[in-house]
Amino acid sequence: IWCVNIAQCLVLGVFPCAAHTQGFSQHFHIVARLCGALCRPAGYPWLDVEIGGGMASAYNHRVFLEPADMAAMHLVFNGNGVNLLGYYMYHGGNNPHSLLYPNNRDAPNTTLQESSFQPAGAQNPMPSESYDFFAPLGEFGQPRRHYHMMRRLHLFLHNWGADVAATKAGPAPSATPLRWQVRSGRHGNAFLYVNNYVRRDPQPAVPLVRFSLSYANASHATVTIPSNRSDPHAFTVAPGVWFVWPVNLPLMPTVAPASGGPVLTYATAQLVARVPAATGDTVFFAATEGIAVELALALGNTATITCPGATSTTEGALTVLRKIVPGTSVVARVAVGTAVVQIVVLAAADSDNLWNDHLVLYAQRNAVSSQDDFEKWTRCNQ
Protein backbone atom coordinates (compact mmCIF):
# COMPACT_ATOMS: atom_id res chain seq x y z
CA ILE A 1 0.00 0.00 0.00
CA TRP A 2 1.50 3.26 -1.10
CA CYS A 3 -0.23 5.81 1.12
CA VAL A 4 1.60 4.98 4.36
CA ASN A 5 3.59 7.84 5.90
CA ILE A 6 7.37 7.59 6.11
CA ALA A 7 9.71 9.43 8.47
CA GLN A 8 12.25 11.84 7.04
CA CYS A 9 15.20 13.68 8.53
CA LEU A 10 16.72 17.02 7.66
CA VAL A 11 19.03 16.59 4.67
CA LEU A 12 21.84 19.02 3.96
CA GLY A 13 24.48 19.53 1.31
CA VAL A 14 22.96 18.10 -1.85
CA PHE A 15 24.87 18.28 -5.13
CA PRO A 16 24.67 16.23 -8.32
CA CYS A 17 26.70 13.06 -8.39
CA ALA A 18 26.67 9.88 -10.44
CA ALA A 19 24.16 8.18 -8.15
CA HIS A 20 21.77 11.07 -7.63
CA THR A 21 19.02 10.12 -9.99
CA GLN A 22 19.38 6.38 -9.51
CA GLY A 23 15.83 6.09 -8.30
CA PHE A 24 13.35 6.71 -5.57
CA SER A 25 14.22 3.82 -3.26
CA GLN A 26 17.41 5.22 -1.76
CA HIS A 27 18.81 8.43 -0.33
CA PHE A 28 21.46 8.98 -2.97
CA HIS A 29 22.86 12.35 -2.05
CA ILE A 30 25.65 13.72 0.09
CA VAL A 31 23.86 13.96 3.39
CA ALA A 32 24.30 15.07 6.94
CA ARG A 33 21.54 13.39 8.93
CA LEU A 34 20.82 15.14 12.16
CA CYS A 35 19.03 12.43 14.12
CA GLY A 36 17.34 12.36 17.49
CA ALA A 37 15.77 15.70 18.32
CA LEU A 38 16.70 17.19 14.97
CA CYS A 39 14.85 14.59 12.88
CA ARG A 40 11.78 16.08 11.26
CA PRO A 41 8.95 15.71 13.77
CA ALA A 42 5.63 14.37 12.54
CA GLY A 43 3.54 17.12 11.02
CA TYR A 44 6.48 19.24 9.89
CA PRO A 45 7.42 19.60 6.22
CA TRP A 46 10.60 18.16 4.75
CA LEU A 47 12.68 21.12 3.60
CA ASP A 48 15.83 20.61 1.53
CA VAL A 49 18.74 23.02 1.14
CA GLU A 50 21.66 23.25 -1.27
CA ILE A 51 20.04 21.13 -3.95
CA GLY A 52 22.36 21.62 -6.89
CA GLY A 53 21.15 24.11 -9.43
CA GLY A 54 24.57 23.47 -10.99
CA MET A 55 28.07 22.87 -9.69
CA ALA A 56 31.20 24.98 -9.49
CA SER A 57 34.40 23.91 -11.22
CA ALA A 58 37.68 24.15 -9.35
CA TYR A 59 41.09 24.16 -11.00
CA ASN A 60 41.63 20.56 -9.94
CA HIS A 61 38.01 19.37 -10.24
CA ARG A 62 36.67 20.21 -13.68
CA VAL A 63 33.06 19.17 -13.14
CA PHE A 64 30.94 18.78 -16.26
CA LEU A 65 27.18 18.60 -15.90
CA GLU A 66 24.41 18.09 -18.39
CA PRO A 67 21.30 20.28 -18.04
CA ALA A 68 19.12 17.22 -17.43
CA ASP A 69 21.26 16.28 -14.41
CA MET A 70 19.63 19.00 -12.38
CA ALA A 71 16.05 18.96 -13.68
CA ALA A 72 15.57 15.20 -13.26
CA MET A 73 17.11 15.29 -9.78
CA HIS A 74 14.75 18.04 -8.62
CA LEU A 75 11.71 15.99 -9.65
CA VAL A 76 13.15 12.98 -7.78
CA PHE A 77 13.52 15.02 -4.59
CA ASN A 78 10.00 16.39 -4.87
CA GLY A 79 8.64 12.89 -5.46
CA ASN A 80 10.49 11.58 -2.41
CA GLY A 81 8.61 14.03 -0.19
CA VAL A 82 10.61 17.27 -0.27
CA ASN A 83 8.31 20.29 0.15
CA LEU A 84 10.93 22.99 -0.36
CA LEU A 85 13.50 22.91 -3.14
CA GLY A 86 16.33 25.08 -1.84
CA TYR A 87 18.67 25.56 -4.80
CA TYR A 88 22.37 26.32 -4.62
CA MET A 89 22.93 28.15 -6.84
CA TYR A 90 20.02 29.37 -8.94
CA HIS A 91 21.88 32.47 -10.18
CA GLY A 92 25.66 32.63 -10.49
CA GLY A 93 27.63 35.74 -9.60
CA ASN A 94 30.98 37.47 -9.15
CA ASN A 95 33.10 37.63 -6.03
CA PRO A 96 33.74 41.31 -5.25
CA HIS A 97 37.22 42.79 -5.28
CA SER A 98 38.88 43.18 -1.91
CA LEU A 99 38.45 46.56 -0.22
CA LEU A 100 40.98 45.74 2.48
CA TYR A 101 43.89 45.02 0.15
CA PRO A 102 43.79 47.68 -2.59
CA ASN A 103 47.18 46.58 -3.93
CA ASN A 104 46.20 42.93 -4.08
CA ARG A 105 42.51 43.06 -4.92
CA ASP A 106 42.31 39.89 -7.00
CA ALA A 107 44.54 37.52 -5.03
CA PRO A 108 42.74 34.28 -4.13
CA ASN A 109 43.15 34.91 -0.42
CA THR A 110 41.76 38.47 -0.47
CA THR A 111 38.42 37.90 -2.29
CA LEU A 112 35.37 36.01 -1.11
CA GLN A 113 36.04 32.95 -3.24
CA GLU A 114 35.76 29.58 -1.55
CA SER A 115 39.19 27.97 -1.77
CA SER A 116 40.18 26.16 1.39
CA PHE A 117 43.68 27.42 2.12
CA GLN A 118 46.00 24.89 3.72
CA PRO A 119 49.81 24.82 3.97
CA ALA A 120 49.94 22.17 1.25
CA GLY A 121 47.69 24.26 -1.00
CA ALA A 122 43.96 24.59 -1.51
CA GLN A 123 42.03 21.37 -1.88
CA ASN A 124 39.43 23.13 -4.00
CA PRO A 125 41.23 25.99 -5.78
CA MET A 126 38.51 28.26 -7.13
CA PRO A 127 38.66 31.26 -9.47
CA SER A 128 39.17 34.54 -7.65
CA GLU A 129 36.20 36.32 -9.20
CA SER A 130 33.91 34.02 -11.14
CA TYR A 131 31.23 32.10 -9.26
CA ASP A 132 29.17 31.09 -12.26
CA PHE A 133 28.43 27.64 -10.76
CA PHE A 134 26.88 26.43 -14.03
CA ALA A 135 23.71 27.81 -12.45
CA PRO A 136 20.41 27.94 -14.35
CA LEU A 137 21.10 31.66 -14.65
CA GLY A 138 24.82 32.25 -15.11
CA GLU A 139 26.93 34.89 -13.42
CA PHE A 140 25.91 37.49 -16.02
CA GLY A 141 22.25 36.46 -16.00
CA GLN A 142 22.52 34.27 -19.10
CA PRO A 143 19.83 31.55 -19.10
CA ARG A 144 21.01 28.00 -19.63
CA ARG A 145 19.07 25.05 -20.93
CA HIS A 146 18.27 23.71 -17.47
CA TYR A 147 16.73 27.08 -16.53
CA HIS A 148 13.97 26.21 -18.99
CA MET A 149 13.90 22.50 -18.14
CA MET A 150 13.43 23.34 -14.46
CA ARG A 151 10.55 25.68 -15.24
CA ARG A 152 8.41 22.69 -16.24
CA LEU A 153 8.39 21.58 -12.59
CA HIS A 154 8.23 25.14 -11.29
CA LEU A 155 5.03 25.93 -13.23
CA PHE A 156 3.43 22.76 -11.92
CA LEU A 157 4.37 23.55 -8.31
CA HIS A 158 3.36 27.20 -8.69
CA ASN A 159 -0.17 26.09 -9.55
CA TRP A 160 -0.55 22.86 -7.55
CA GLY A 161 2.17 23.21 -4.92
CA ALA A 162 -0.36 23.44 -2.07
CA ASP A 163 -1.91 20.16 -3.21
CA VAL A 164 1.50 18.50 -3.45
CA ALA A 165 2.58 19.81 -0.03
CA ALA A 166 -0.45 18.17 1.57
CA THR A 167 0.58 14.73 0.29
CA LYS A 168 3.12 12.28 1.66
CA ALA A 169 5.52 9.95 -0.11
CA GLY A 170 4.76 6.30 0.38
CA PRO A 171 7.29 3.54 1.04
CA ALA A 172 9.68 2.80 -1.78
CA PRO A 173 8.08 0.62 -4.46
CA SER A 174 9.56 -2.84 -4.88
CA ALA A 175 12.44 -3.17 -7.33
CA THR A 176 11.24 -2.74 -10.90
CA PRO A 177 12.97 -1.76 -14.14
CA LEU A 178 11.34 1.68 -13.76
CA ARG A 179 12.02 4.20 -11.00
CA TRP A 180 8.79 5.64 -9.62
CA GLN A 181 7.12 6.94 -6.50
CA VAL A 182 3.69 8.19 -5.39
CA ARG A 183 2.76 11.05 -3.08
CA SER A 184 -0.79 10.66 -1.77
CA GLY A 185 -3.21 12.68 0.32
CA ARG A 186 -5.98 11.87 2.78
CA HIS A 187 -8.77 12.34 0.26
CA GLY A 188 -7.43 9.99 -2.40
CA ASN A 189 -5.61 12.67 -4.38
CA ALA A 190 -2.11 11.72 -5.45
CA PHE A 191 0.80 12.46 -7.78
CA LEU A 192 2.71 9.78 -9.66
CA TYR A 193 6.42 10.52 -10.20
CA VAL A 194 8.52 8.64 -12.76
CA ASN A 195 12.22 9.07 -13.58
CA ASN A 196 14.08 7.24 -16.34
CA TYR A 197 17.18 9.44 -16.36
CA VAL A 198 20.47 8.71 -14.59
CA ARG A 199 23.51 10.94 -14.88
CA ARG A 200 26.29 9.33 -16.94
CA ASP A 201 24.35 6.07 -17.13
CA PRO A 202 21.98 6.02 -20.13
CA GLN A 203 18.82 4.11 -19.29
CA PRO A 204 17.00 1.81 -21.70
CA ALA A 205 13.39 2.26 -22.69
CA VAL A 206 11.00 0.52 -20.30
CA PRO A 207 8.13 -1.17 -22.20
CA LEU A 208 4.82 -2.65 -21.07
CA VAL A 209 4.21 -0.11 -18.31
CA ARG A 210 0.86 0.07 -16.55
CA PHE A 211 0.41 1.38 -13.00
CA SER A 212 -2.13 -0.01 -10.56
CA LEU A 213 -2.44 2.25 -7.52
CA SER A 214 -4.23 0.82 -4.50
CA TYR A 215 -5.38 2.60 -1.34
CA ALA A 216 -5.27 1.58 2.30
CA ASN A 217 -8.72 3.16 2.57
CA ALA A 218 -11.03 0.70 0.83
CA SER A 219 -13.50 3.52 0.03
CA HIS A 220 -11.11 4.66 -2.72
CA ALA A 221 -11.11 2.55 -5.85
CA THR A 222 -7.89 1.22 -7.35
CA VAL A 223 -6.66 3.46 -10.17
CA THR A 224 -5.16 1.80 -13.24
CA ILE A 225 -3.02 3.99 -15.53
CA PRO A 226 -3.71 3.72 -18.40
CA SER A 227 -7.09 2.05 -18.42
CA ASN A 228 -7.20 -1.72 -18.80
CA ARG A 229 -9.22 -1.10 -21.95
CA SER A 230 -6.36 0.81 -23.55
CA ASP A 231 -3.59 -0.73 -25.64
CA PRO A 232 -2.93 -4.17 -24.12
CA HIS A 233 0.77 -3.33 -24.22
CA ALA A 234 0.11 -0.14 -22.21
CA PHE A 235 2.95 2.31 -22.87
CA THR A 236 6.73 2.58 -23.06
CA VAL A 237 8.75 5.05 -20.99
CA ALA A 238 11.49 6.38 -23.26
CA PRO A 239 15.13 6.81 -22.17
CA GLY A 240 15.91 10.08 -20.42
CA VAL A 241 12.28 10.90 -19.58
CA TRP A 242 10.98 12.13 -16.22
CA PHE A 243 7.50 13.35 -15.33
CA VAL A 244 4.78 13.73 -12.69
CA TRP A 245 1.13 12.85 -13.39
CA PRO A 246 -2.00 13.71 -11.35
CA VAL A 247 -4.32 11.15 -9.75
CA ASN A 248 -7.80 11.89 -8.31
CA LEU A 249 -7.40 15.65 -8.50
CA PRO A 250 -10.49 17.90 -8.29
CA LEU A 251 -10.90 19.61 -11.65
CA MET A 252 -12.96 22.55 -10.33
CA PRO A 253 -11.73 23.89 -6.98
CA THR A 254 -14.93 25.95 -6.69
CA VAL A 255 -17.13 22.85 -6.99
CA ALA A 256 -16.02 20.20 -4.51
CA PRO A 257 -16.32 16.52 -5.50
CA ALA A 258 -18.68 16.02 -2.54
CA SER A 259 -20.99 18.55 -4.20
CA GLY A 260 -20.83 16.85 -7.58
CA GLY A 261 -17.68 18.50 -8.87
CA PRO A 262 -15.71 16.61 -11.52
CA VAL A 263 -12.49 14.79 -10.63
CA LEU A 264 -9.51 14.16 -12.88
CA THR A 265 -8.99 10.49 -12.04
CA TYR A 266 -5.71 10.36 -13.94
CA ALA A 267 -3.87 11.85 -16.89
CA THR A 268 -0.93 10.48 -18.82
CA ALA A 269 0.33 14.04 -19.24
CA GLN A 270 1.93 16.53 -16.87
CA LEU A 271 -0.04 19.40 -15.41
CA VAL A 272 1.44 22.78 -16.29
CA ALA A 273 -0.88 25.60 -15.26
CA ARG A 274 -4.42 26.64 -14.41
CA VAL A 275 -5.37 30.04 -15.82
CA PRO A 276 -8.63 31.75 -14.82
CA ALA A 277 -10.62 33.79 -17.31
CA ALA A 278 -14.06 35.40 -17.46
CA THR A 279 -15.35 32.52 -19.57
CA GLY A 280 -13.90 29.84 -17.27
CA ASP A 281 -10.58 28.30 -16.30
CA THR A 282 -8.14 26.75 -18.75
CA VAL A 283 -6.07 23.83 -17.48
CA PHE A 284 -2.89 23.24 -19.47
CA PHE A 285 -1.11 19.91 -19.70
CA ALA A 286 2.13 19.00 -21.45
CA ALA A 287 2.30 15.65 -23.22
CA THR A 288 4.97 13.23 -22.06
CA GLU A 289 7.47 12.30 -24.75
CA GLY A 290 6.54 9.06 -26.51
CA ILE A 291 3.36 8.38 -24.47
CA ALA A 292 -0.16 8.71 -25.85
CA VAL A 293 -2.27 11.17 -23.87
CA GLU A 294 -5.19 9.65 -21.99
CA LEU A 295 -7.43 11.57 -19.60
CA ALA A 296 -9.94 9.91 -17.28
CA LEU A 297 -12.59 11.95 -15.49
CA ALA A 298 -15.24 11.14 -12.89
CA LEU A 299 -17.94 13.59 -13.92
CA GLY A 300 -20.48 12.72 -11.24
CA ASN A 301 -24.14 13.55 -11.70
CA THR A 302 -23.92 17.27 -12.45
CA ALA A 303 -21.01 17.77 -14.86
CA THR A 304 -21.28 17.66 -18.64
CA ILE A 305 -18.46 17.33 -21.15
CA THR A 306 -17.86 18.13 -24.81
CA CYS A 307 -14.75 16.77 -26.56
CA PRO A 308 -13.81 18.71 -29.70
CA GLY A 309 -10.27 17.27 -29.62
CA ALA A 310 -10.68 13.71 -28.35
CA THR A 311 -12.77 10.57 -28.48
CA SER A 312 -14.79 9.79 -25.38
CA THR A 313 -15.84 6.43 -23.95
CA THR A 314 -17.68 5.57 -20.76
CA GLU A 315 -15.92 2.95 -18.63
CA GLY A 316 -17.86 2.34 -15.45
CA ALA A 317 -17.93 5.61 -13.51
CA LEU A 318 -15.21 7.16 -15.69
CA THR A 319 -15.23 9.11 -18.93
CA VAL A 320 -11.97 8.32 -20.73
CA LEU A 321 -10.59 10.61 -23.44
CA ARG A 322 -8.24 9.20 -26.08
CA LYS A 323 -6.85 9.98 -29.54
CA ILE A 324 -5.70 13.39 -28.32
CA VAL A 325 -3.35 15.22 -30.66
CA PRO A 326 -1.24 17.58 -28.53
CA GLY A 327 -1.21 21.18 -29.72
CA THR A 328 -2.95 24.45 -28.92
CA SER A 329 -6.56 23.44 -29.57
CA VAL A 330 -9.05 22.77 -26.81
CA VAL A 331 -9.32 19.02 -26.11
CA ALA A 332 -12.41 19.11 -23.89
CA ARG A 333 -14.75 21.42 -21.99
CA VAL A 334 -16.28 20.39 -18.69
CA ALA A 335 -19.21 22.34 -17.24
CA VAL A 336 -21.10 22.35 -13.96
CA GLY A 337 -23.84 24.92 -14.26
CA THR A 338 -22.13 28.15 -15.27
CA ALA A 339 -18.67 26.99 -14.15
CA VAL A 340 -16.54 25.85 -17.09
CA VAL A 341 -13.05 24.34 -17.41
CA GLN A 342 -11.43 23.83 -20.77
CA ILE A 343 -8.48 21.47 -21.23
CA VAL A 344 -5.49 22.07 -23.52
CA VAL A 345 -2.71 19.50 -23.98
CA LEU A 346 0.46 21.09 -25.34
CA ALA A 347 3.07 19.15 -27.28
CA ALA A 348 5.96 17.57 -25.38
CA ALA A 349 8.40 19.60 -27.49
CA ASP A 350 6.90 22.80 -26.04
CA SER A 351 7.05 21.72 -22.40
CA ASP A 352 10.35 23.49 -21.70
CA ASN A 353 9.42 26.61 -23.64
CA LEU A 354 6.42 27.69 -21.60
CA TRP A 355 5.98 30.94 -19.72
CA ASN A 356 3.03 31.57 -17.44
CA ASP A 357 2.30 34.96 -19.06
CA HIS A 358 1.97 33.30 -22.46
CA LEU A 359 -0.56 30.84 -21.07
CA VAL A 360 -2.50 33.67 -19.41
CA LEU A 361 -2.73 35.54 -22.70
CA TYR A 362 -3.84 32.37 -24.45
CA ALA A 363 -6.62 31.74 -21.97
CA GLN A 364 -7.77 35.30 -21.34
CA ARG A 365 -7.37 36.93 -24.75
CA ASN A 366 -7.27 33.96 -27.10
CA ALA A 367 -4.12 35.58 -28.46
CA VAL A 368 -2.56 32.35 -29.70
CA SER A 369 -4.67 31.07 -32.56
CA SER A 370 -2.35 28.50 -34.10
CA GLN A 371 0.66 26.32 -33.47
CA ASP A 372 2.74 28.73 -35.58
CA ASP A 373 1.81 31.61 -33.26
CA PHE A 374 2.64 29.53 -30.20
CA GLU A 375 6.06 28.63 -31.60
CA LYS A 376 6.79 32.34 -32.28
CA TRP A 377 6.00 33.13 -28.65
CA THR A 378 8.22 30.41 -27.25
CA ARG A 379 11.14 30.62 -29.68
CA CYS A 380 12.91 33.19 -27.53
CA ASN A 381 13.53 30.50 -24.91
CA GLN A 382 15.68 28.27 -27.10
Side-chain angles (χ1 to χ4, degrees):
I1 304 302
W2 47 261
C3 57
V4 178
N5 187 18
I6 58 174
Q8 302 288 358
C9 292
L10 179 65
V11 179
L12 305 173
V14 178
F15 291 98
C17 67
H20 258 166
T21 49
Q22 287 280 345
F24 291 92
S25 60
Q26 306 172 33
H27 290 293
F28 27 72
H29 29 260
I30 304 168
V31 300
R33 289 187 178 276
L34 307 181
C35 294
L38 293 183
C39 271
R40 181 180 66 85
Y44 283 79
W46 182 9
L47 312 181
D48 233 326
V49 299
E50 294 201 7
I51 298 176
M55 187 62 195
S57 288
Y59 286 106
N60 59 348
H61 296 97
R62 301 300 176 96
V63 178
F64 181 81
L65 298 175
E66 297 288 350
D69 294 347
M70 279 68 71
M73 177 181 65
H74 303 153
L75 179 128
V76 168
F77 276 64
N78 187 230
N80 265 333
V82 171
N83 277 358
L84 182 144
L85 297 172
Y87 296 127
Y88 191 93
M89 304 263 297
Y90 189 74
H91 196 316
N94 295 106
N95 293 311
H97 295 286
S98 173
L99 299 178
L100 299 178
Y101 303 92
N103 296 323
N104 203 13
R105 301 176 64 201
D106 295 328
N109 58 343
T110 65
T111 64
L112 295 180
Q113 57 95 6
E114 290 186 345
S115 295
S116 55
F117 295 101
Q118 287 113 2
Q123 298 301 303
N124 60 329
M126 305 286 287
S128 294
E129 295 184 18
S130 176
Y131 202 66
D132 180 84
F133 214 81
F134 193 60
L137 293 172
E139 64 179 307
F140 303 112
Q142 69 275 27
R144 293 194 167 97
R145 181 60 182 157
H146 51 300
Y147 170 74
H148 302 294
M149 297 172 81
M150 291 163 62
R151 191 169 59 253
R152 190 193 323 173
L153 179 62
H154 294 169
L155 283 171
F156 163 65
L157 292 177
H158 176 73
N159 287 273
W160 286 277
D163 297 281
V164 174
T167 63
K168 297 176 182 178
S174 58
T176 66
L178 188 65
R179 297 164 175 84
W180 63 283
Q181 177 62 289
V182 174
R183 292 185 59 154
S184 60
R186 289 182 293 177
H187 304 293
N189 57 306
F191 297 93
L192 170 64
Y193 292 77
V194 174
N195 172 50
N196 199 28
Y197 176 89
V198 177
R199 168 174 161 78
R200 301 182 66 186
D201 185 11
Q203 298 299 293
V206 182
L208 307 177
V209 176
R210 177 175 275 114
F211 294 97
S212 182
L213 307 182
S214 302
Y215 289 80
N217 186 341
S219 64
H220 299 303
T222 296
V223 179
T224 302
I225 309 172
S227 163
N228 284 322
R229 300 188 191 179
S230 301
D231 186 331
H233 299 299
F235 61 86
T236 296
V237 178
V241 169
W242 62 91
F243 55 84
V244 51
W245 290 347
V247 178
N248 285 335
L249 196 66
L251 192 60
M252 291 183 175
T254 58
V255 185
S259 302
V263 173
L264 178 66
T265 304
Y266 67 82
T268 60
Q270 182 160 328
L271 285 166
V272 174
R274 173 188 291 273
V275 179
T279 56
D281 291 359
T282 299
V283 176
F284 290 92
F285 292 82
T288 300
E289 181 182 348
I291 298 177
V293 178
E294 184 172 301
L295 308 177
L297 301 102
L299 296 176
N301 298 321
T302 59
T304 60
I305 187 170
T306 57
C307 306
T311 63
S312 172
T313 58
T314 300
E315 301 181 12
L318 299 181
T319 299
V320 181
L321 310 186
R322 299 186 179 90
K323 295 186 178 180
I324 297 169
V325 178
T328 59
S329 300
V330 174
V331 169
R333 292 183 178 89
V334 180
V336 177
T338 58
V340 178
V341 170
Q342 63 180 10
I343 295 172
V344 176
V345 181
L346 301 169
D350 293 324
S351 61
D352 293 337
N353 302 328
L354 303 175
W355 295 88
N356 194 67
D357 287 351
H358 295 166
L359 302 177
V360 169
L361 287 173
Y362 176 99
Q364 295 184 342
R365 306 178 188 176
N366 199 26
V368 179
S369 58
S370 69
Q371 182 68 24
D372 288 342
D373 288 340
F374 188 85
E375 290 175 356
K376 290 176 184 177
W377 281 31
T378 60
R379 194 170 297 138
C380 62
N381 301 324
Q382 299 299 317

